[in-house]
């Protein structure tokens, strides 16, 4: 498995490298277009400020490279925001994969502290990023009702009956780790996980081969490990 991480001016990405190594993946960190285009999977993580990050991406033509990627891509934190159309942070035009705009949180209560920093739950989960059985069901001719549930006594191994490997389904209301002041609004088509902080917003989004999470799966313990494994398995 050839996994690449986009190298750009957006904070420490080595927590993502270490999380992948724990899954048995040794990624390459690169800003080389050919290496990114030829990778099996591409991760686009980041922390920092949108305008500075986009200036770096454009100066290295990485925005165009990312638009041309056809393999599964996972944006993380600022990476999710940069995959959108526009960010209020620095009034920045972004890569534009998702026709969505990024907004700054506005506190509605005295106790609302910006940025949101810490653990929060995600819900309304969908797509194989959270439930790998959704991917397997596309090619499995059996009726899902005929398959033993993961916790059923008919399935003592605990393996997913569709994927045949250790179950990596993410449960509703699982907790993951967030650090952010800006958010992507909910969208009927693209939102695949929801979180709430001053208002409901997109904790994760999906379009075509592009997935993205506002939270940090690499800092989210066993839940984040499942999400990264599900992405690698796409």
């Amino acid at each position: 498995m050839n996994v690449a991480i986009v190298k750009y001016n957006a904070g420490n990405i080595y927590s993502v490298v270490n999380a992948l190594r724990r899954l048995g993946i040794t990624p390459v960190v690169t800003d080389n277009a050919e290496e990114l285009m030829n990778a099996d999977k591409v991760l686009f993580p980041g922390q920092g400020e949108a305008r500075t990050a986009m200036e770096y991406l454009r100066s290295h033509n990485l925005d165009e490279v990312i638009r041309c990627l056809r393999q599964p891509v996972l944006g993380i934190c600022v990476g999710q925001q940069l995959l959108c159309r526009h960010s209020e942070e620095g009034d920045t035009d972004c890569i534009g994969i998702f026709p969505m705009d990024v907004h700054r949180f506005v506190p509605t209560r005295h106790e609302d502290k910006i940025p949101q920093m810490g653990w929060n739950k995600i819900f309304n989960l969908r797509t194989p990023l959270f439930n790998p059985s959704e991917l397997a069901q596309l090619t499995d001719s059996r009726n899902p009702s005929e398959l033993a549930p993961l916790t059923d006594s008919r399935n003592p191994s605990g393996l997913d009956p569709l994927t045949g490997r250790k179950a990596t389904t993410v449960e509703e209301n699982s907790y993951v780790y967030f650090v952010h002041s800006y958010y992507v609004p909910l969208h009927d088509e693209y939102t695949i996980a929801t979180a709430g902080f001053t208002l409901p917003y997109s904790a994760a989004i999906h379009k075509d081969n592009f997935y993205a999470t506002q939270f940090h799966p690499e800092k989210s313990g066993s839940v984040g490990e499942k999400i990264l494994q599900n992405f690698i398995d796409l």
Side-chain angles (χ1 to χ4, degrees), residues 1-119:
M1 175 71 68
N2 180 12
V3 176
I5 297 176
V6 180
K7 178 183 177 181
Y8 70 112
N9 186 25
N12 180 19
I13 62 174
Y14 286 95
S15 58
V16 178
V17 173
N18 291 332
L20 292 173
R21 286 176 175 166
R22 291 193 292 271
L23 298 177
I25 301 291
T26 301
V28 58
V29 179
T30 182
D31 58 5
N32 180 274
E34 184 175 356
E35 288 184 311
L36 292 170
M37 297 291 286
N38 290 332
D40 299 309
K41 305 290 192 305
V42 174
L43 289 94
F44 181 44
Q47 296 175 328
E49 190 265 333
R51 174 170 288 279
T52 301
M54 281 304 305
E55 288 174 352
Y56 183 95
L57 290 170
R58 290 192 180 101
S59 69
H60 291 72
N61 202 40
L62 287 170
D63 57 330
E64 291 297 335
V65 172
I66 291 169
R67 290 187 187 100
C68 292
L69 296 176
R70 295 296 177 260
Q71 67 273 65
V73 178
L74 178 63
I76 297 174
C77 194
V78 169
Q80 172 178 277
Q81 297 174 12
L82 297 180
L83 290 174
C84 292
R85 175 174 52 202
H86 183 270
S87 175
E88 286 185 349
E89 187 175 26
D91 190 22
T92 305
D93 289 331
C94 299
I95 295 172
I97 299 296
F98 296 91
M100 308 164 76
D101 295 336
V102 180
H103 302 287
R104 182 174 172 82
F105 283 122
V106 176
T108 58
R109 304 172 301 171
H110 176 73
E111 58 266 33
D112 292 335
K113 304 299 182 182
I114 310 299
Q116 177 188 200
M117 182 180 299
W119 296 86

Side-chain angles (χ1 to χ4, degrees), residues 204-234:
I205 53 180
H206 168 236
K207 180 185 177 187
D208 301 326
N209 57 307
F210 286 89
Y211 295 79
T213 65
Q214 181 59 66
F215 57 88
H216 289 270
E218 78 282 6
K219 298 180 181 179
S220 297
S222 60
V223 172
E225 185 174 290
K226 290 179 179 181
I227 293 168
L228 289 173
Q229 184 66 65
N230 291 340
F231 172 72
I232 293 300
D233 290 341
L234 289 173

Side-chain angles (χ1 to χ4, degrees), residues 151-173:
T151 57
D152 194 282
S153 60
R154 292 174 291 161
N155 184 26
S157 69
L159 298 179
D160 189 306
L162 283 170
T163 65
R165 59 169 173 77
K166 183 180 178 181
T168 54
T169 299
V170 177
E171 300 296 331
E172 288 284 327
N173 297 308

